[in-house]
Amino acid sequence: MKDIRIARIPQSESLPVVSTTAAPTAADQRVLVRMRAAALNFADILKSRGQYQEAQPFPFVPGLEGAGEVITAPAESGLMPGDRVAVWAPGTMTEVMAVPADACLKIPDNMSFDQAAGFQIAYGTSHLALVHRAGLQAGETLAVLGAAGGVGLTAVQIGRAIGARVIGVARVPERLGIVAEAGADDLIDSDDSPDLKAALREFGPIDVVYDPVGAEPGLAAFGALRRGGRFLIIGFAGGKPPRLPLNHALVKNIAIYGFYWGGYRDLDRQALRDSLAQCFALFADGKLAPHAGEVLDLDQIAEGYRLLEARKTTGKVIIRL
């Protein structure tokens, strides 16, 4: 079979390569999956540089999520040969992989392999963070920073599906149009709003802030939270964490939640699995619509890495296997 290999910590122009290796065989309590598609995430870039928080020995097969068809499965897994499944496990950039049964979920009939491959981390992050951690409720107001980004768009859609009022913060009118299509009720152009805190406050009290940006925008959004509000730390695309004033959190009874989706594999695997099942159900009901990104063939993997590093795609980069 073919797979992708990261042989060593890359220097300037070193990129992942396609290799040929022996396919795995069925093992006890493992599901053997013929992978059809896998998604690239920025975590894959960091891993290839040796900069990810969960270090992985070189060489390794990249990819953290994908989708395919079951070849064989343990009888107690509830899966059958031919079942279409999503897979969340390290090493999805391969034609065949053996994974634990609880790392697989059946995908809706109306979902393609390409959609399923790039669905899990982005939508899983927003759903588990908003529902499980922040307890977002219908009728509350959610502010989403970086709303035109990969996870930002999913937060907008999930907030809308829950019944919250959603304020999308993004840059450039064209990208704000994408946020509006995702279901945001109100839009803020961060390039055209020198005082983001004041702009958010104009839309009324903010119950929950979803922050994958950090830096100054994160600090501004924190200042717009109502008393008793909740602040979700998702990432630091702005280059650094926001310098949150903890004394304000104290006197305003604001809850600050750090959230890392991958950590739930060990922290609460069942919560992660249940959240994904709810996301797939929302997709099947037409309430979630993944934004189309780049779809590339296996031999275009290096181009996929370049696109992701340059941030030249608004959706997921999908590799067809």
Side-chain angles (χ1 to χ4, degrees):
M1 69 170 192
K2 291 180 179 179
D3 63 18
I4 303 298
R5 293 286 165 140
I6 306 291
R8 60 186 175 84
I9 298 177
Q11 303 305 318
S12 58
E13 292 301 318
S14 182
L15 289 166
V17 296
V18 180
S19 67
T20 301
T21 187
T25 56
D28 290 342
Q29 306 307 311
R30 293 267 167 166
V31 178
L32 200 62
V33 182
R34 169 65 173 94
M35 301 298 291
R36 297 297 182 185
L40 271 176
N41 290 278
F42 201 73
D44 292 302
I45 301 292
L46 296 178
K47 280 192 173 188
S48 71
R49 298 172 181 166
Q51 298 173 347
Y52 195 57
Q53 61 258 34
E54 293 178 356
Q56 193 162 354
F58 293 83
F60 66 87
V61 178
L64 298 169
E65 57 181 335
E69 298 162 326
V70 173
I71 299 172
T72 61
E76 63 275 16
S77 69
L79 296 171
M80 299 288 291
D83 280 347
R84 301 166 70 250
V85 293
V87 175
W88 67 92
T92 55
M93 294 282 172
T94 183
E95 291 184 330
V96 180
M97 67 184 301
V99 297
D102 67 355
C104 300
L105 270 179
K106 292 181 183 178
I107 61 177
D109 292 340
N110 61 338
M111 178 178 270
S112 71
F113 288 127
D114 291 349
Q115 290 172 320
F119 184 87
Q120 299 158 80
I121 293 177
Y123 281 94
T125 292
S126 292
H127 187 274
L128 197 57
L130 290 171
V131 175
H132 183 73
R133 292 294 278 168
L136 182 67
Q137 301 292 317
E140 289 191 313
T141 297
L142 165 68
V144 180
L145 303 186
V151 292
L153 283 171
T154 66
V156 170
Q157 289 185 22
I158 287 171
R160 182 74 171 183
I162 290 170
R165 176 190 177 205
V166 182
I167 303 167
V169 181
R171 303 169 61 186
V172 186
E174 293 78 11
R175 292 172 68 82
L176 283 167
I178 295 172
V179 178
E181 290 175 6
D185 299 280
D186 300 293
L187 303 171
I188 295 176
D189 185 338
S190 55
D191 281 347
D192 196 35
S193 302
D195 189 342
L196 179 58
K197 180 168 73 171
L200 284 166
R201 282 180 168 176
E202 285 183 6
F203 288 107
I206 307 297
D207 296 288
V208 177
V209 168
Y210 182 96
D211 180 18
V213 177
E216 295 308 313
L219 177 60
F222 179 86
L225 275 169
R226 68 164 177 81
R227 292 180 180 272
R230 290 93 80 197
F231 188 90
L232 282 164
I233 302 171
I234 305 299
F236 312 118
K240 60 183 180 180
R243 299 177 67 87
L244 302 179
L246 297 185
N247 57 324
H248 290 192
L250 186 153
V251 299
K252 292 177 68 177
N253 288 297
I254 289 172
I256 301 171
Y257 296 106
F259 185 82
Y260 167 46
W261 187 83
Y264 270 77
R265 291 189 179 97
D266 298 319
L267 178 64
D268 192 339
R269 198 172 179 89
Q270 190 58 48
L272 183 152
R273 186 176 171 87
D274 291 346
S275 171
L276 279 178
Q278 292 172 48
C279 288
F280 284 131
L282 288 170
F283 177 93
D285 290 341
K287 295 181 178 179
L288 300 180
H291 183 71
E294 298 287 338
V295 179
L296 305 173
D297 292 330
L298 187 64
D299 59 4
Q300 296 175 291
I301 183 66
E303 176 62 16
Y305 268 67
R306 291 191 189 99
L307 284 169
L308 200 59
E309 285 189 293
R311 301 183 186 274
K312 290 185 176 179
T313 177
T314 55
K316 280 293 184 75
V317 176
I318 303 298
I319 305 299
R320 283 189 179 156
L321 301 164

